[in-house]
């Protein structure tokens, strides 16, 4: 797994681990499980710490963010609207033109194999976007 630089010289992976430990309840356990699934789906994932303390997982672009709120852990996929979701994991932000999210409430489990498939599909979509030739201005 690759790491990006983060605030105060600490690696993003340590900041994410600290966030998980600080939660110290079902949200920390859930975020840790989802992080593990992301890493299993993509051993080369880059962990980042952005936007005033948001865990971000990237591979050739942002895959998803992991936020924790009082009653939900939210995984927002940057290009979720373009992903196939046969297992219907997306249950939030469904009206947006770009993003889709998975809201996980206390006691809920996300299908591990379907989630990993979604991560792999997000990577493929990012790679496809990187391989397109850039549009040049016509003169």
């Amino acid at each position: 797994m690759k790491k990006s630089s983060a605030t105060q010289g600490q690696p993003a992976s340590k900041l994410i681990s600290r966030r998980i430990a600080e939660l110290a309840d079902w949200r920390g356990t859930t975020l840790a499980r989802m992080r593990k699934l992301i890493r299993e789906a993509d051993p080369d994932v880059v962990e980042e710490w952005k936007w005033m303390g948001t865990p971000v997982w990237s591979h050739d672009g942002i895959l998803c963010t992991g936020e924790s709120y009082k009653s939900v852990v939210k995984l927002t996929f940057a290009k979720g609207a373009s992903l196939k979701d046969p297992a219907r994991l997306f249950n939030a932000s469904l009206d947006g033109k770009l993003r889709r999210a998975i809201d996980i409430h206390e006691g809920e489990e996300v299908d591990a194999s379907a989630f990993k498939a979604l991560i792999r599909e997000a990577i493929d979509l990012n790679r496809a976007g990187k391989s397109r030739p850039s549009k040049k201005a016509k003169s």
Side-chain angles (χ1 to χ4, degrees), residues 39-54:
R39 289 172 163 177
E40 287 173 2
D42 180 16
D44 293 325
V45 72
V46 176
E47 292 190 320
E48 300 177 276
W49 189 255
K50 296 185 176 193
W51 307 299
M52 298 177 6
T54 302

Side-chain angles (χ1 to χ4, degrees), residues 17-83:
S17 293
R18 184 182 311 151
R19 168 64 50 81
I20 289 168
E22 287 170 353
L23 290 169
D25 61 11
W26 69 270
R27 296 170 302 161
T29 303
T30 299
L31 190 57
R33 177 176 183 262
M34 302 316 292
R35 178 191 199 188
K36 181 179 182 235
L37 293 175
I38 292 166
R39 289 172 163 177
E40 287 173 2
D42 180 16
D44 293 325
V45 72
V46 176
E47 292 190 320
E48 300 177 276
W49 189 255
K50 296 185 176 193
W51 307 299
M52 298 177 6
T54 302
V56 176
W57 291 275
S58 298
H59 190 139
D60 291 328
I62 293 175
L63 300 173
C64 67
T65 62
E67 298 170 275
S68 55
Y69 299 98
K70 186 175 182 176
S71 63
V72 70
V73 171
K74 180 182 282 291
L75 296 163
T76 303
F77 283 70
K79 297 177 183 173
S82 298
L83 300 176

